[in-house]
Every structure is written in structure tokens, then in C-alpha cells.
Amino acid sequence: MQVLHDAPLAPLTTFRLGGPATRLVTATTDDEVIAAVREADESGTPLLIVGGGSNLVIGDKGFDGTALRIATKGFALDGTRLELAAGEVWTDAVARSVEAGLAGIECLAGIPGSAGATPIQNVGAYGQEVSATVTEVVAYDRRAGETVTLANAECAFSYRHSRFKEHPDRYVVLRVRFALEDADGLSAPLKYPETARALGVEAGDRVALTTARETVLKLRAGKGMVLDPADHDTWSAGSFFTNPILSREQYEDFLGRVHDRLGPEVAPPAFPVGEDGEQVKTSAAWLIDKAGFTKGYGSGPARISTKHTLALTNRGDATTEDLLALAREVVAGVRDAFGITLVNEPVTVGVEL
């Protein structure tokens, strides 16, 4: 276990933003993770869990407490069952599962961050979510003071949400277990229209696993969603806002605003949600663009990505406050234009949007 004092946190985040932590502990085993958490809890010290840093917005003043960096390793396959230590690099784990000929997470290639973060956020992209393959999550329950194993149904997964996100100060994820599929080298059925179009197939078709993964990586790279230190469009947290989910009444009000602003022939993206279809999900990227915040928007050190309107980026010398000022401008502009308040996807530390 490594312990540093007054340690910079910005290099541990994909935004490369934020001040130092009073104390930074790097844990490489589950026992070290638990010991560090217990020490903080018993002393009443504020605790910040850091994995891959791809979903964190840390304030410029930093974190007055202990930042615990989870750097555990473990990739274990038993047939189609996969167990990952929380500190495993997610995109590497996806690549290894594809190499093993197993389907179920191949369309989640290129997503930055650690394996332990995936059930917290119910990470999803290109038609797949981890909730579809997660069987169990092993976590340290800070309230009970013990390690617990939660089955999929106990994780309360929903769109970009989970039991772990609902109770951020209770659970520390240690291991994640998945049930993948051996489809003779083929992917899971493709659900996302953009992926199917890029592959020249129909939604529901299967393609070679490696082809599915490589196609997703190309699609993500075209949007600045694959980490590249030389590309400031990737100095981000990926999608900064979640796609809004509206009631039918809210959607009708939204549709009226769209027609008033853009014309009666304009149809915004709309996807029925839930078994009864009584809710509608629309696109945050579409809202941002149509509210006037186009690719590359901004004149300061924090700007919208030149490749994707849903990513806010650090152009190299931004501060967290620069980033938040841009985010607040976007939220206010979308609310004024369409009556919808966007919700940030990254976790904020020491600051609020």
C-alpha cells in the first residue's frame, strides 16, 4: 500500500483537473482496500474512491481527506463466467474477453475507467449495458462493516444508475462477476442502429466478435471517446450529461417547444422506455446542439468537443471552474430552449453544477 500526502489528483482523472488530496492511498489488494476504508471510517476522515478517474470532476481546491485509488488486478475466466477485480482497466478486460471468444460486453470497448466503476454507473454504450451480463458484485459494506455479495437483482440497475450510485457512501466495489456467451466467435445480437449501419447488417444480426469490437472503437474514436493524450477532445469524461427520460406529458410539452423553435416538421429523437412505454428517452446531444451549443463551442480553455456535442473538454490549461461554467451555460441554454434540465453524468467532488 502506497501513501502520499498533499498528492495531486488531476493526473488520476481523464479531465486532468482538480486540486490535491490531503492523503492519497493506493491499494493493490482487496484487503488493502478494506483496511484503508476502515481506517478512514473509524477516524471520521472523508473518503474519496478513485478508480480510472474517467467519471470524476474534482474541485480546484482538491479533496480534504483520504483519496483511495483502487489498483487491484484480477481477470479470471471459468467457461463463460468472468470475474474482474475492481481495479482492472475496463477496455483491456473487454479486449481479453473478445480474444477468449466470449460475447456480451464487446460493444462496451473503448470505455475508459476501471471494472469496479461499471456496475455503479450501469455503464452502457452501443446497445449494451453491463446490467445485462453482471451476475454478482462483491463489495465492502461500510455500514455493516463486512464484505457482501449482491446478486444482479439486488443491484437495482436502471439507466446509468444502481444501488451503488444511490448509496455512494455505503458500498466499495471489490469484484464484478459476469455471465458471457460463447456464440462460436460471434457477437451478441446488435441492438444499436448506428453499429448495425456501420457494419452493413440489420439490427438483431450477429457479426464476428473482433469486428464488432473494432467497429465500436472506430465509432468512439470518431467522437473523441477513446483516450488519446495528444487529442484534447479526449480530455473529458465522455458523455457529460445523461439522456433525459420524460413522462408522456413532459414529452408532449417538449415536442411543442421543439415545433415552436425549429418548425412543425422537426421530430426530436424519441425512444420508448419501460415495459409499458409510458416514458420517452430523448438525446442530450441533440438537445445541446439544437440549443445552439455546437461542436467546438466555447472560446475559453474548456469547450465542447470538436467531435461530439455531449463531451465537455479541457483544452489543456482549463480549471474545474472553467469546466463548470461551460456546463452551467449549456444546462441553462437547454432549459431555456426546451424546458428540460440536463443532469451531469460524472460525479462531482467538492463542487456542484
Side-chain angles (χ1 to χ4, degrees), residues 15 39 66 89 100 239-240 299 346:
F15 265 124
E39 179 186 359
T66 295
V89 176
S239 299
F240 195 88
S299 58

Side-chain angles (χ1 to χ4, degrees), residues 96-142:
R96 292 178 67 181
S97 72
V98 169
E99 289 171 3
L102 298 177
I105 56 176
E106 63 278 3
C107 290
L108 303 178
I111 294 177
S114 61
T118 60
I120 297 172
Q121 191 74 3
N122 186 17
V123 164
Y126 295 97
Q128 290 182 344
E129 288 183 330
V130 293
S131 57
T133 50
V134 167
T135 57
E136 294 178 328
V137 176
V138 180
Y140 178 68
D141 184 340
R142 297 168 67 182

Side-chain angles (χ1 to χ4, degrees), residues 187-209:
S187 69
L190 298 171
K191 296 181 179 179
Y192 200 67
E194 183 182 9
T195 313
R197 285 196 302 270
L199 287 162
V201 299
E202 298 294 326
D205 288 349
R206 296 176 185 261
V207 298
L209 267 171

